[in-house]
Amino acid sequence: MPKLGLIGCGAMGSALAKGIVKHGGVSPDNFYVYDIVPERMEDLVLSLGCRSGNLEELCRECDLLILAVKPQDVENVLASMAGFFRKEQLLVSVAAGISTRSIEKLLPAGSKVIRLMPNTPCLIGAGAVAVSSGKEVTLEELEYVESLLTPLGMVKRVPEKLMEAVTGLSGSGPAFAFYFIEALIDGGVEAGLSRDLATDLAAQTVLGAARMLLESGRHPAELKNAVTSPGGTTSAGLLALEEGAARAAIIKAVTQAARRAGELKRE
Ligand SMILES: NC(=O)c1ccc[n+]([C@@H]2O[C@H](COP(=O)([O-])OP(=O)(O)OC[C@H]3O[C@@H](n4cnc5c(N)ncnc54)[C@H](OP(=O)(O)O)[C@@H]3O)[C@@H](O)[C@H]2O)c1
């Protein structure tokens, strides 16, 4: 059975580790973690029953390494691994804006690199993860990594040139969705509901609408039209959204976030 290692046990690294280990993608005995903050590493060891080690030990023991440090720390970590990383190993990076090509350049020639763009709902198994592979990765290796990720939510294979667009939509998207839900709650409160009741109703409404869209396979406009009767309440609400240019604002939120992801990559 392959051995896996995690470098960086912060928010995203821990979510990936929990999703993979708890759903049997790897046994705790075959999962190693490392972080420069020992307490973060120990938290995962305690909660998952996995092993810890230093960078050299992870490189020696593991077939696949997940790199989950901040983008600005990637170069340092790869430099510290330089003498130990073997090109038969697979490196899976979640660092936003760092291309497989720039990681390959910092590893031995011929190294295999896969890049992910997860989002925070991965923490509860309801995430969206986009996956792109570097030029040395085989289809079998890519499929193996995708199978490890399925407990975290939906997994989509995308060409790497689309990673900034993915970052703008599903990477930043949870924040846009929370913003929309918060506004729904404020609307409910303004209309006379208690904040607790409005919160439950708003969150369940967005969850239910998203599930209906995915499960029915129907176009969102078709589902919207089905609940919009002539001269009715929903029609009045939709007119208010159009008057407030909500659609244009949402489109711009995604495109501006994607543009910013591209800028950060160049920086
Ligand atoms: N969180 C998200 O929603 C999200 C979404 C998509 C992608 N990502 C990507 O996921 C990566 C991790 O993000 P995060 O939010 O999980 O960050 P985080 O919570 O800061 O976790 C990173 C961890 O790595 C540690 N670290 C720093 N340098 C290290 C080194 N040289 N060796 C080992 N560990 C080191 C950090 O310690 P210190 O705190 O001491 O630096 C921290 O514990 C980022 O590249 C980000 O772009 C995150």
Side-chain angles (χ1 to χ4, degrees), residues 59 65 81-87 89-91 107-108 111:
C59 288
L65 290 167
M81 285 163 56
F84 317 120
F85 189 82
R86 290 165 282 117
K87 65 178 187 167
Q89 291 173 304
L90 201 52
L91 188 106
L107 292 173
S111 290

Side-chain angles (χ1 to χ4, degrees), residues 72-223:
Q72 61 270 27
D73 295 320
V74 165
E75 204 170 332
N76 264 344
V77 176
L78 293 179
S80 317
M81 285 163 56
F84 317 120
F85 189 82
R86 290 165 282 117
K87 65 178 187 167
E88 314 77 69
Q89 291 173 304
L90 201 52
L91 188 106
V92 177
S93 165
V94 296
I98 312 267
S99 68
T100 54
R101 211 174 128 78
S102 48
I103 294 176
E104 283 162 1
K105 281 189 191 156
L106 297 163
L107 292 173
S111 290
K112 298 158 187 284
V113 180
I114 289 180
R115 177 177 168 195
L116 310 181
M117 175 45 68
N119 64 7
T120 48
C122 285
L123 288 163
I124 56 157
V129 190
V131 185
S132 301
S133 60
K135 59 184 191 309
E136 305 292 341
V137 176
T138 65
L139 182 60
E140 201 186 358
E141 288 162 339
L142 183 59
E143 284 173 348
Y144 169 63
V145 170
E146 288 172 344
S147 73
L148 287 175
L149 298 169
T150 42
L152 302 168
M154 175 188 280
V155 180
K156 294 280 183 188
R157 195 180 300 172
V158 299
E160 194 168 0
K161 64 175 190 228
L162 296 182
M163 273 296 187
E164 277 75 52
V166 167
T167 306
L169 177 50
S170 56
S172 302
F176 304 152
F178 293 133
Y179 182 93
F180 177 65
I181 292 170
E182 191 188 9
L184 283 182
I185 296 167
D186 288 343
V189 171
E190 173 65 16
L193 302 178
S194 73
R195 191 158 288 277
D196 283 352
L197 179 58
T199 301
D200 286 350
L201 292 178
Q204 180 62 28
T205 300
V206 172
L207 177 67
R211 278 190 55 193
M212 250 180 106
L213 180 68
L214 288 174
E215 288 172 21
S216 69
R218 290 164 74 190
H219 190 284
E222 204 188 325
L223 293 168

Side-chain angles (χ1 to χ4, degrees), residues 7-13 34-37 40 68-71 73 76-77 94-96 117-120:
I7 303 166
C9 305
M12 192 44 70
Y34 167 68
D35 195 293
I36 43 170
V37 183
R40 288 204 195 120
V69 298
K70 292 276 189 215
D73 295 320
N76 264 344
V77 176
V94 296
M117 175 45 68
N119 64 7
T120 48

